Every structure is written in structure tokens, then in C-alpha cells.
């Protein structure tokens, strides 16, 4: 595993935390909220036993928050981490492992990034971004055009991938999918859980945070790297065979990796699967339909295996989007005619009845044409 290079630049925080972990002493309310949050997370995880389930939004959207880039660190090939803090260095909203930030970039793009720092640090958020030259432009902007001192806006942490801290856990991370997993590993190590982590990728040099994970594993050998160029890509059954009997599995990675894990989970010794995607799921049970942009009269054809968002972006490259999984709400549009087959995880019945649609996942009902207020 390649060591991290020194940070390219840094701005020191302006306010020192009250204690080693940034916690204010004697805050009974925060302790009570933490306990309640943990109980809620455990209840959510319990309901997911013995079946694979994808993540859905659990927390209300926090209010707007301004963050300043304090530090940039190259963590691996094409992987950059950013440390963010409040402009005046004050306390930030708390979060639990699995949480993410919805950031508004200087260009106006909105993107989700998992928090990969330490939840006990209440003065700093850390995210990591893999540069994708052929992506939607967000990662390139973060790498090439976001210097130390730049300001970002965010809605604050939300958690769609909660960690229930089961006694035995197998973590599976594919490439940059380590970002939501790393804080879970840190909590598992602190809590004395029976945990294992397998980090998979094309090469060792492409995988970030190896030194941190080695330190968390210590001499117990709980952390393993699987590089495709050394051993070839493993299958789901092989990976799940490492799980202790009755263990919960937490997985984040590309779609083929998740598909293999989900297909093998029932025959494995594991007792539950929790996962998060960092790419949109393939369209299942889709059918072709037509879109009309009501303000311009342009007609668009959406194939059965593509999303309305994909087609809209070809006609209107400035179409806003972020998660592409139906939970952030950034791609929301108003439908002025036609019945929608809603597949999102965010809109309320009232919002749907009022014509709202998330075009990243929802489609026209069979035989319908949708007219969008665009």
C-alpha cells in the first residue's frame, strides 16, 4: 500500500477543541441524543436481518452550512482527500459512520461525498474523491479547481447507510467505496467488535487509507487488500466465506461487486447485508416512454434500459443531479401532464400528488407520456 503524500497546503483551524476529541464536557443533551441515535440505528439494522437491502434516507435534511477547505492530501492514485471546517473554526453538526454530505461546488454542481474522518472530531469533516476524467465533471472540479481556502455550501450530514455495530462484522469495500466504511471500521475497533475488512481494487496503489487501516488492524490481521492485478477479481462467495458465522456484512462498491455479493449472501455464513452504491443501479423492469419538455415543445425518447435523467442531460447538459439513486432530491422536476411511476425514496405522497418527480429513477407509467415543466 502506498503511503499518503504530505498535504499540499493547509490553513490551521482558528479554534481549539475543548478536549482531545473535540467534545464539550458535561453536555447531557448530546449524550442523550447519541444514545437515542444508536438505539434507532440498531433497530433499523435488526429489521434488515437475512435479506439484502439498499440504503434509504433516515435523517431529516439539516439546514444550510458553509465550509472552508482547510487541507488537501493525495491519498492514492487519483484520490484526493479534503478536510473541511467552519469558517470561524467552530463546532460542526455531529454525524455517525455511514453519513454523507451534499456539497454545492463553486460551479453550481451538487455532489454527495461520504464522510471518512472521525465522528469524534466535531471541528473537521473529511471527504475523499477519486478523479474520474470521463465523469460528470464534479470530481475533476474537486481535484483541479478547489484550492485551500475555497468555500463550499452543504446541507449538512445525512445518513442513508447506518452502522449498527453488530458483534461480528465483515466489511467489503471496492476502491473509493472505502469512504463510508472507514468510520465504521474505526468504531468497530474502538468498540472491540469482531471485525474483518477486505479492500478490493485494480492495484494496491489505487487504494487509499492503507496506513490508517493497518493501524486500526494492529497485529490482529483484520485488514486484507485484494488487488486484481495480483490475484484476479474474487467472486462474492469467496469474499463472504471470510465472514464469521452470524456476522453482518457492510458493503460499498461498484455495481458488479454488489451484484455478486447479493447473489451469494443466502448461501454464506453471514446473517445480514447492508450496502450502499456509489453509482446508479441498472434500470430494472423498465419500459420505453416519451418525455415532452413543455416550455420548448421538445420530445425525447427514453429507452427501457435508461433513466429519464440520462436522456434529459443529453438534451439539457445543465440538468441538476447528484445521487442518481432517488434520495437526494436534486433532480426534482414538475410534471404537468401524464402519470408517473415513482421509484424514489424521498418524495411524500403530497409532493407526488402535486406533480413532483425525481427523474433519476422514476419513469412514466405504462402507456403514458410525461410533460415536464422545463
Amino acid at each position: 500500500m502506498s503511503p499518503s503524500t504530505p498535504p499540499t497546503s493547509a490553513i490551521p483551524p482558528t479554534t481549539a477543541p475543548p478536549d482531545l476529541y473535540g467534545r464539550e464536557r458535561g453536555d447531557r443533551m448530546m449524550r442523550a441524543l447519541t444514545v437515542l441515535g444508536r438505539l434507532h440505528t440498531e433497530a433499523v439494522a435488526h429489521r434488515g436481518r437475512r435479506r439484502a437491502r439498499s440504503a434509504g434516507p433516515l435523517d431529516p435534511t439539516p439546514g444550510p452550512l458553509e465550509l472552508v477547505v482547510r487541507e488537501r492530501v493525495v491519498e492514492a492514485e487519483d484520490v484526493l482527500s479534503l478536510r473541511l471546517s467552519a469558517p470561524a473554526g467552530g463546532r460542526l453538526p455531529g454525524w455517525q459512520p455511514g453519513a454523507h454530505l451534499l456539497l454545492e461546488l463553486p460551479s453550481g454542481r451538487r455532489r454527495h461525498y461520504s464522510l471518512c474522518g472521525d465522528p469524534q472530531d466535531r471541528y473537521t469533516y473529511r471527504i475523499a474523491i477519486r478523479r474520474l476524467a470521463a465523469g460528470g465533471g464534479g470530481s475533476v472540479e474537486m481535484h483541479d479547481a478547489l484550492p485551500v481556502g475555497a468555500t463550499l455550501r452543504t446541507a449538512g450530514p445525512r445518513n442513508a447507510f447506518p452502522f449498527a455495530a453488530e458483534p461480528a462484522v465483515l466489511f467489503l469495500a471496492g476502491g473509493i467505496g472505502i469512504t463510508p466504511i472507514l468510520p465504521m471500521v474505526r468504531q468497530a475497533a474502538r468498540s472491540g467488535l469482531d471485525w474483518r475488512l477486505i479492500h478490493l481494487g485494480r492495484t494496491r496503489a489505487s487504494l487509499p487509507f492503507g496506513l490508517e487501516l493497518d493501524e486500526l488492524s494492529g497485529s490482529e490481521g483484520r485488514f486484507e487488500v485484494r488487488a486484481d492485478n495480483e490475484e484476479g477479481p474474487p467472486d462474492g462467495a469467496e469474499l463472504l466465506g471470510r465472514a464469521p458465522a452470524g456476522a453482518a456484512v457492510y458493503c460499498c462498491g461498484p455495481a458488479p461487486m454488489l451484484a455478486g455479493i447479493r447473489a451469494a449472501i443466502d448461501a454464506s455464513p453471514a446473517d445480514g447485508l447492508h450496502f450502499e452504491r456509489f453509482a446508479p443501479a441498472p434500470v430494472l423492469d423498465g419500459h420505453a416512454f416519451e418525455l415532452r419538455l413543455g416550455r420548448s415543445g421538445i420530445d425525447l425518447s427514453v429507452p427501457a434500459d435508461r433513466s429519464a435523467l440520462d436522456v434529459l442531460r443529453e438534451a439539457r447538459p445543465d440538468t441538476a443531479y447528484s445521487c442518481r439513486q432517488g434520495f437526494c432530491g436534486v433532480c426534482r422536476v414538475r410534471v404537468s401532464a401524464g402519470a408517473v411511476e415513482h421509484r424514489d425514496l424521498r418524495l411524500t405522497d403530497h409532493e407526488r400528488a402535486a406533480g413532483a418527480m425525481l427523474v433519476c429513477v422514476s419513469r412514466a407509467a405504462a402507456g403514458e407520456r410525461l410533460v415536464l415543466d422545463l
Side-chain angles (χ1 to χ4, degrees), residues 350-364:
H350 176 75
E351 289 171 323
R352 293 176 177 180
M357 173 186 178
L358 300 190
V359 291
C360 66
V361 291
S362 295
R363 311 179 67 79

Side-chain angles (χ1 to χ4, degrees), residues 48-362:
R49 295 287 187 182
R50 292 309 303 170
R51 62 187 179 91
R53 63 174 180 82
S54 60
L58 301 176
D59 300 337
T61 303
L65 181 67
E66 211 170 65
L67 297 172
V68 175
V69 178
R70 300 292 184 185
E71 184 180 77
R72 293 165 52 95
V73 180
V74 177
E75 303 287 356
E77 289 180 354
D78 291 329
V79 178
L80 173 73
S81 73
L82 301 178
R83 292 186 182 271
L84 312 172
S85 68
R91 281 169 64 90
L92 297 171
W95 58 282
Q96 297 295 325
H100 63 265
L101 292 176
L102 172 58
L103 292 175
E104 182 176 327
L105 308 186
S107 65
R109 296 183 178 96
R110 295 181 181 182
R111 296 292 187 270
H112 284 272
Y113 297 102
S114 295
L115 288 165
C116 58
D118 188 343
Q120 292 189 353
D121 178 1
R122 293 298 302 277
Y123 291 82
T124 306
Y125 292 151
R126 182 176 68 168
I127 61 173
I129 311 98
R130 184 177 295 282
R131 192 181 195 279
L132 300 173
S139 68
V140 173
E141 181 178 355
M142 297 288 275
H143 273 251
D144 299 351
L146 202 67
V148 167
T151 300
L152 301 169
R153 289 178 59 82
T154 179
R158 295 182 68 244
N159 201 334
F161 188 30
F163 178 47
E166 293 92 340
V169 187
L170 174 65
F171 298 109
L172 301 174
I176 198 65
I178 191 62
T179 50
I181 296 292
L182 178 53
M184 299 181 188
V185 172
R186 185 174 288 111
Q187 181 177 332
R190 284 176 174 161
S191 302
L193 307 181
D194 181 10
W195 64 273
R196 299 289 185 277
L197 166 66
I198 305 175
H199 196 183
L200 303 98
R202 302 183 313 276
T203 65
R204 288 177 181 268
S206 70
L207 300 179
F209 305 123
L211 293 179
E212 288 185 43
L213 293 166
D214 278 333
E215 290 177 1
L216 289 170
S217 175
S219 61
E220 298 179 325
R222 298 179 181 273
F223 169 45
E224 177 186 351
V225 170
R226 283 293 305 261
D228 293 350
N229 68 332
E230 297 175 7
E231 304 175 66
D235 61 25
E238 177 188 346
L239 294 174
L240 291 171
R242 313 290 181 85
V249 177
Y250 287 79
C251 181
C252 183
M257 172 184 168
L258 294 181
I261 297 300
R262 294 177 68 185
I265 187 68
D266 287 339
S268 78
D271 190 28
L273 173 61
H274 311 262
F275 64 90
E276 183 175 62
R277 305 176 189 273
F278 55 72
V283 177
L284 300 176
D285 303 322
H287 47 265
F289 63 97
E290 298 295 318
L291 286 177
R292 167 162 286 191
L293 308 188
R295 299 179 192 176
S296 62
I298 296 175
D299 290 321
L300 303 173
S301 296
V302 181
D305 60 349
R306 301 187 68 199
S307 71
L309 174 64
D310 289 340
V311 175
L312 269 174
R313 288 187 63 217
E314 291 176 353
R316 296 168 56 102
D318 61 344
T319 299
Y321 74 97
S322 182
C323 74
R324 296 181 293 169
Q325 299 176 55
F327 66 80
C328 76
V330 170
C331 67
R332 177 173 174 160
V333 300
R334 181 178 177 275
V335 178
S336 56
V340 179
E341 180 184 285
H342 291 285
R343 298 187 177 192
D344 67 274
L345 301 168
R346 181 181 182 90
L347 297 178
T348 65
D349 290 341
H350 176 75
E351 289 171 323
R352 293 176 177 180
M357 173 186 178
L358 300 190
V359 291
C360 66
V361 291
S362 295

